[in-house]
Amino acid sequence: MSLRINNNIAAINAHRNLTGTTRALAGSMEKLSSGYRINRASDDPAGLVISEQFRAQIAGLGRAIENSEGSINMIQTAEGSLNELNSLLISMRELAIHAANEGFNDTDQLAADQAEISNALATIDRIAVNTQFGTKKLLDGSNANTATITSANSSNMSVIESGLNTGAHSLQVTKVTDSTATLNTTSLGISLSGTAGNPDNLVDGIHNIDVVQASDVASKTSGSVAITDAWGNGFNVQAAQTSAGVSSTTGFAATVGNEGTATVVLSYQQNGESVIANKTFSITIASNSTATNVAAMFNAQISADNDIGNLIQATSSASGATLAFVTSNAGTQYSLNVESFSAASASVGTIASDTNSRGASLGTLNFTVESEATGASAMTDTVTMATGAYGTMAALNTSLNAAIATAFGGAVNALQSSVVSGSNSLSFTTFDEGSDYSIQLNTEGSESYRLEDALNMTVDTTKHSGINAIVSFDNFRTDITSVKYAAASTVTLYNKAGDASTLGRGSTLLELGTAANGINTGNLLLDVAASTYSVALDGGTSTTAT
């Protein structure tokens, strides 16, 4: 069976014509409703451009007319006030003329005239102050004629109430006095550079200088140092690092008759801590035993002790002639005391009771220092102390400072040591203050430099820098990264951000000597008298200006 699609051609044509007619009718209605011939760009592209230009011009003219009307209203407001002022002035003139006729005026009449004149003057002042259009004052003098100075050599200057005619005018300026400044105190480590302080572009008056953060040196501090041990032995520094040890007298012989009991009582101290006291160890010696055999038997017992099993060991000399008890670790932080020793045979040797020993540390420290006091940006040197036993912190500190002076050179050291007040600690510090200076403790091997262990110091992976002084000048903060003790230095304090050539600023001098304490926190007042100038306009009479 076949299919057929029928089309109504007449209906389709009728629909198309109806659509076109509807569109044309809508356009006509739009023009009739708006009153405009051109409602969209498709109506007349060129005409739309012209009409929009006219529309903008008409809007601008409308706004100009409104501005003129507003100006007229402002002038009318001012005129109304001026009319009142004129009436008051005329009234005052009448009163003055009346008061001038003293032929019939008495005292009360003159007083009444004066009171009315005073009231009129007060009214004039009140009208001048309060007359305004919106928030704009009209008669108080704030709308004075001004002239701007455009010379490249002028700064922050203008001419008010100039009364100048339009055109170019000349201004001759000559400095009469320089600016001066005074500080109320220098106790914070800051004083002025020279007599005047050289303040630039600062207005007359009091300015605030507040030190909100004090400067400080770069420092490296030790832990607590055991300067003497429990048996009075001093802090021991030698050319080679050694353990603490006590040996028997010579004469140990591997002979028949050595058999019997040997007993030792040991005490041990480490890093100045509590003493591990009176640890007793007894062995049975066989006939023909050597010092090596005896040491091995003692070690078997000592190693089993929970307190000092890894801290003390027995040894024998290479020849086997002596027996010794030594600390397992080397360094001045380890001490040993033999409380008593006894053996069945005299050929084993003897150790006197209360015989003690303290180990020795290699007296070297390796520092990298950045310090301007020595004139070098960064130096790495080894500080080597004089050998000996030091019984006081003061003696230890004196020896260290002498070694530092030798290593880094000169009376003014890059580094200095001091005893921390109230403690058995040492502080190593740079000479000058601020983040420009730093200190770092180095090592060159696990056994080469071990004095840091005796001083309870850790090797640094990063440097310790000094602390900057932070100074606020009129609430603008400046970081001072270098505070020198060897010589005074000039630092410029800025009181606002921007181009340094146009800032208000004052140059201040850090008056620091070897007895000073850097820059301390606190407040200062800077009293500034600005420069004065002789100013003449168009060659006329000169005027002094600040």
Side-chain angles (χ1 to χ4, degrees):
M1 180 179 75
S2 62
L3 296 175
R4 178 185 302 172
I5 299 173
N6 293 323
N7 294 301
N8 190 338
I9 302 301
I12 293 173
N13 286 333
H15 178 269
R16 179 178 59 79
N17 291 331
L18 178 60
T19 301
T21 302
T22 301
R23 186 181 301 112
L25 177 62
S28 298
M29 291 298 294
E30 183 180 29
K31 292 178 181 179
L32 289 172
S33 298
S34 65
Y36 296 133
R37 183 179 70 83
I38 302 174
N39 290 281
R40 62 187 73 246
S42 61
D43 293 339
D44 185 354
L48 179 63
V49 172
I50 296 172
S51 68
E52 288 303 312
Q53 290 176 343
F54 280 138
R55 193 189 305 274
Q57 187 173 5
I58 291 170
L61 291 173
R63 175 51 59 189
I65 291 172
E66 291 179 6
N67 288 346
S68 298
E69 292 174 349
S71 299
I72 291 172
N73 292 335
M74 183 182 71
I75 297 300
Q76 288 175 341
T77 300
E79 183 182 18
S81 296
L82 290 174
N83 286 336
E84 292 300 320
L85 294 178
N86 185 59
S87 298
L88 289 168
L89 292 173
I90 291 175
S91 175
M92 291 170 62
R93 184 172 186 276
E94 290 176 347
L95 291 169
I97 293 174
H98 176 265
N101 187 358
E102 297 179 355
F104 65 87
N105 286 330
D106 57 21
T107 303
D108 291 337
Q109 288 178 315
L110 292 175
D113 289 340
Q114 182 60 52
E116 192 171 350
I117 288 176
S118 298
N119 182 65
L121 290 173
T123 302
I124 290 173
D125 290 338
R126 185 171 62 255
I127 292 174
V129 170
N130 294 326
T131 301
Q132 63 186 62
F133 186 78
T135 59
K136 188 178 184 67
K137 298 289 185 179
L138 300 181
L139 302 178
D140 66 345
S142 59
N143 295 309
N145 176 33
T146 61
T148 302
I149 299 174
T150 58
S151 169
N153 295 323
S154 64
S155 172
N156 300 323
M157 297 181 66
S158 61
V159 179
I160 302 175
E161 293 288 1
S162 62
L164 297 176
N165 297 324
T166 302
H169 298 268
S170 64
L171 189 70
Q172 295 81 36
V173 180
T174 303
K175 180 183 282 190
V176 178
T177 62
D178 289 327
S179 57
T180 59
T182 56
L183 274 180
N184 62 335
T185 179
T186 60
S187 62
L188 306 185
I190 299 178
S191 63
L192 291 177
S193 175
T195 303
N198 190 29
D200 299 329
N201 299 328
L202 292 178
V203 299
D204 283 351
I206 303 297
H207 299 263
N208 293 317
I209 299 178
D210 302 330
V211 183
V212 296
Q213 177 174 290
S215 62
D216 203 356
V217 294
S219 64
K220 172 74 174 179
T221 303
S222 75
S224 180
V225 178
I227 193 65
T228 57
D229 66 10
W231 300 280
N233 297 306
F235 189 94
N236 193 11
V237 175
Q238 299 297 330
Q241 189 169 287
T242 63
S243 301
V246 177
S247 298
S248 68
T249 59
T250 58
F252 194 103
T255 62
V256 176
N258 283 349
E259 63 272 8
T261 300
T263 302
V264 65
V265 180
L266 302 175
S267 294
Y268 173 85
Q269 186 184 37
Q270 176 177 321
N271 293 322
E273 299 170 357
S274 298
V275 175
I276 301 174
N278 299 321
K279 306 297 291 187
T280 303
F281 304 98
S282 295
I283 62 171
T284 301
I285 302 175
S287 182
N288 296 320
S289 294
T290 65
T292 301
N293 301 138
V294 173
M297 286 187 284
F298 271 122
N299 280 332
Q301 285 201 14
I302 293 173
S303 62
D305 187 90
N306 292 330
D307 294 326
I308 61 173
N310 298 318
L311 304 177
I312 298 176
Q313 56 185 336
T315 64
S316 62
S317 63
S319 63
T322 58
L323 174 70
F325 296 94
V326 299
T327 57
S328 300
N329 295 314
T332 188
Q333 58 267 43
Y334 308 108
S335 297
L336 173 68
N337 183 63
V338 177
E339 304 289 348
S340 64
F341 179 83
S342 63
S345 172
S347 61
V348 175
T350 60
I351 300 176
S353 297
D354 292 325
T355 301
N356 52 71
S357 173
R358 184 174 186 175
S361 293
L362 178 64
T364 53
L365 293 172
N366 185 272
F367 286 102
T368 296
V369 178
E370 291 179 334
S371 175
E372 194 165 324
T374 61
S377 58
M379 300 160 291
T380 299
D381 280 295
T382 298
V383 177
T384 304
M385 290 181 59
T387 60
Y390 298 94
T392 64
M393 290 297 294
L396 180 65
N397 182 64
T398 300
S399 179
L400 275 169
N401 274 321
I404 290 170
T406 300
F408 290 97
V412 179
N413 301 323
L415 187 66
Q416 52 193 345
S417 171
S418 60
V419 179
V420 179
S421 177
S423 71
N424 278 353
S425 300
L426 293 172
S427 179
F428 297 88
T429 60
T430 54
F431 191 84
D432 296 322
E433 298 183 347
S435 61
D436 287 354
Y437 314 112
S438 66
I439 180 175
Q440 183 171 350
L441 178 63
N442 310 309
T443 187
E444 295 183 5
S446 60
E447 297 298 333
S448 297
Y449 294 92
R450 298 301 298 272
L451 183 58
E452 64 263 21
D453 293 338
L455 296 176
N456 287 318
M457 298 173 68
T458 56
V459 174
D460 297 318
T461 57
T462 59
K463 63 185 181 181
H464 302 269
S465 297
I467 298 176
N468 295 333
I470 300 179
V471 181
S472 172
F473 186 16
D474 289 347
N475 296 319
F476 183 78
R477 288 163 54 130
T478 301
D479 283 13
I480 300 177
T481 61
S482 173
V483 179
K484 303 175 185 177
Y485 279 74
S489 56
T490 300
V491 175
T492 299
L493 297 180
Y494 296 98
N495 66 349
K496 58 183 176 180
D499 181 8
S501 64
T502 60
L503 288 180
R505 62 189 187 275
S507 298
T508 61
L509 185 67
L510 311 184
E511 297 282 3
L512 297 175
T514 56
N517 294 316
I519 299 179
N520 302 315
T521 56
N523 302 328
L524 294 168
L525 297 178
L526 180 68
D527 190 0
V528 174
S531 302
T532 59
Y533 300 86
S534 174
V535 183
L537 180 63
D538 291 337
T541 303
S542 62
T543 301
T544 300
T546 300

